Amino acid sequence: MGSSRATESDAPISGGGGGGGATSTVTNNPIKDDAVDSSPFQLGELVLAFHGHCLYDAKVQKVESYDEGWRYYVHYKGWKKRWDEWLDVDFLLKYTDENVQNKKEILKIYLEKNTKPRRLSQDKTNSSMGVRGRKRKQEIIKKEEDIAQLEKFVNIQIPSTLKKQLIDDQDCITHLGKLVKLPRTPNVHEILNKYFDYRVRMDGMIGETLKEIVKGLHCYFDKALPAMLLYKEERQQYREVITENDSPSDVYGAEHLLRLFVKLPEMLAGLHIEKETLTELQQKWLDFLRFLQSNQREFFDLSDRKCGEDSPTAVKEEDK
C-alpha cells in the first residue's frame, strides 16, 4: 500500500511528505576533497536541514565535493540512523541563535520562494541560484500544487467529540501551561495494538491491509511528532524524555496521536497516491478515529496534567 511504503523511504517524513525536495539528486560519483576547510559546513557541525516544509536539527557526518559543488551526509538529531542522507549545500543553514529563533519566518520565506533560505543565516558564503536553484524552485511549486490537489481528495472527518478534545488539549497546554504527563498509558504503540486486536475480532481474520494501516500510522507518528505534532511549550519536554533508543510511540499517547490526523493530508502531498487508494485510506482512518472516540474515556485524560510554570518543560523561544 502506498502510504506505509512511503514511510519507509530514505528520508524522514516531514510536512511535505516522505522524500521531499530536500534530498540530494546527485547521481554522479563525488570527488573527495582534502581541502574541506573551504566547505561552507564542516565535519561534525550542527546545522539546520531543510526537508519539505520543515527544518530539522542535524549533524554533518561526511563532507564531499563533486563537480557541481558541495554535499553533506547528515544525521537528524533524535532520529534513527537509517534516516541519514546526503543533502546539497542549498538545503543546509548555519545553526545560529537567530536562525533557530526564526525557524517559522525562514520557512515562510523559503516556501514563498522570495529568497534562498541560507541568506537569512549569519553565514556569508555566496552561492548563485543556477540550475540547482531553478530546479529547487520548481520542486517547491510542484509540492505546493500537490498539497492543494491532495486536500481535494483527502477529507478526514474527525468526530465532534475528538475535535473538542483537540481544542481542550490546545487550551490546556498553550493557555493554562499544563503539559501531558509522560510516559502515557496507554501509549501510541499500545493503542495501535488494541485497534489491531479489535479489527481482528470484528473481521474474524488478519488482513494485509490492516497490517499496513497499523504499521503506517505507527511509522508516520514516530517521524512526524518531533517535526509537526508538538506545541512550542512541549519541545523541552520532548528533549527530556526522548533518547536515541526511544520511539515517540512508546512514550506519547492518544492526545498526540489525534493531532496526526490533522496533519495527514499535508504529510501525504507529493507521494502520488492513486485516488482509489486514498479513498480506502480515508475509510480506514475514519474507522480508527471512531475506535478512538469509543474509547475516549480510557485513552484520553485532560485532568492528567502537570503545570508548565512549575516545570523546566516550558520554553518560550521556539514555535510549533
Side-chain angles (χ1 to χ4, degrees):
M1 185 180 64
S3 65
S4 62
R5 283 199 298 269
T7 64
E8 298 170 356
S9 64
D10 292 330
I13 293 174
S14 69
T23 305
S24 170
T25 57
V26 176
T27 57
N28 57 313
N29 292 327
I31 303 171
K32 291 291 184 67
D33 193 339
D34 294 331
V36 292
D37 289 343
S38 63
S39 166
F41 301 93
Q42 301 298 312
L43 186 67
E45 182 174 351
L46 184 63
V47 297
L48 295 174
F50 278 96
H51 185 86
H53 290 64
C54 292
L55 269 175
Y56 296 88
D57 294 353
K59 187 175 182 180
V60 176
Q61 294 190 322
K62 297 179 184 177
V63 179
E64 290 185 352
S65 65
Y66 60 103
D67 52 2
E68 295 183 3
W70 293 94
R71 70 174 190 166
Y72 305 88
Y73 193 72
V74 301
H75 170 70
Y76 296 98
K77 293 186 65 179
W79 302 54
K80 294 182 179 179
K81 291 183 178 180
R82 69 190 183 100
W83 303 107
D84 296 357
E85 63 179 342
W86 285 102
L87 296 179
D88 287 337
V89 64
D90 291 331
F91 296 106
L92 299 184
L93 281 173
K94 288 291 184 180
Y95 195 93
T96 64
D97 290 340
E98 179 184 357
N99 286 343
V100 171
Q101 293 173 6
N102 293 290
K103 280 185 179 181
K104 188 174 182 179
E105 185 63 25
I106 292 173
L107 279 170
K108 179 181 178 182
I109 295 175
Y110 173 65
L111 296 175
E112 288 176 350
K113 307 171 295 295
N114 290 329
T115 185
K116 292 184 66 177
R118 192 165 50 81
R119 291 183 179 177
L120 293 174
S121 168
Q122 294 177 353
D123 176 42
K124 302 301 181 181
T125 304
N126 294 320
S127 175
S128 62
M129 286 290 286
V131 176
R132 285 176 292 144
R134 289 193 296 272
K135 183 175 181 180
R136 179 158 51 85
K137 181 177 180 180
Q138 293 171 355
E139 289 174 342
I140 295 171
I141 294 174
K142 179 65 167 61
K143 188 169 294 297
E144 291 174 344
E145 292 174 348
D146 288 338
I147 293 174
Q149 185 70 14
L150 187 66
E151 288 178 343
K152 294 180 181 179
F153 303 115
V154 180
N155 183 19
I156 303 176
Q157 295 291 336
I158 299 177
S160 59
T161 57
L162 293 183
K163 285 183 180 179
K164 184 179 185 302
Q165 184 79 48
L166 285 168
I167 295 171
D168 290 345
D169 189 49
Q170 179 185 26
D171 184 67
C172 191
I173 293 169
T174 62
H175 295 147
L176 301 181
K178 296 182 179 180
L179 308 184
V180 178
K181 284 186 178 181
L182 299 176
R184 289 291 288 128
T185 300
N187 58 40
V188 170
H189 180 77
E190 292 167 339
I191 291 172
L192 290 174
N193 283 342
K194 287 175 181 289
Y195 175 71
F196 183 87
D197 294 339
Y198 160 75
R199 284 305 339 162
V200 170
R201 290 196 305 270
M202 295 295 293
D203 301 338
M205 58 180 295
I206 300 177
E208 287 301 317
T209 300
L210 176 61
K211 289 182 180 179
E212 294 272 347
I213 289 291
V214 172
K215 182 179 179 182
L217 288 174
H218 191 282
C219 193
Y220 270 127
F221 180 82
D222 279 344
K223 301 308 171 186
L225 182 122
M228 58 174 58
L229 302 184
L230 296 175
Y231 292 103
K232 63 180 181 179
E233 292 85 357
E234 297 175 303
R235 294 194 179 279
Q236 180 61 32
Q237 181 189 46
Y238 171 83
R239 289 190 286 265
E240 292 174 356
V241 300
I242 298 295
T243 67
E244 288 190 11
N245 297 323
D246 291 324
S247 295
S249 56
D250 292 328
V251 178
Y252 289 82
E255 294 83 3
H256 292 80
L257 177 59
L258 182 57
R259 300 178 198 176
L260 177 67
F261 290 87
V262 178
K263 296 291 187 178
L264 275 175
E266 180 182 346
M267 292 169 63
L268 294 177
L271 297 185
H272 306 292
I273 303 174
E274 296 180 354
K275 292 181 183 179
E276 294 78 7
T277 303
L278 282 175
T279 300
E280 182 182 7
L281 282 173
Q282 286 185 90
Q283 293 173 349
K284 300 298 183 183
W285 290 335
L286 287 174
D287 183 70
F288 179 77
L289 286 171
R290 294 189 190 102
F291 174 76
L292 281 184
Q293 184 182 32
S294 64
N295 293 277
Q296 192 167 357
R297 185 179 297 274
E298 175 187 355
F299 293 165
F300 297 87
D301 187 0
L302 275 178
S303 66
D304 192 16
R305 289 289 195 263
K306 64 177 180 179
C307 182
E309 296 177 355
D310 296 333
S311 167
T313 56
V315 291
K316 306 293 183 183
E317 71 275 13
E318 295 183 20
D319 290 320
K320 184 180 176 183

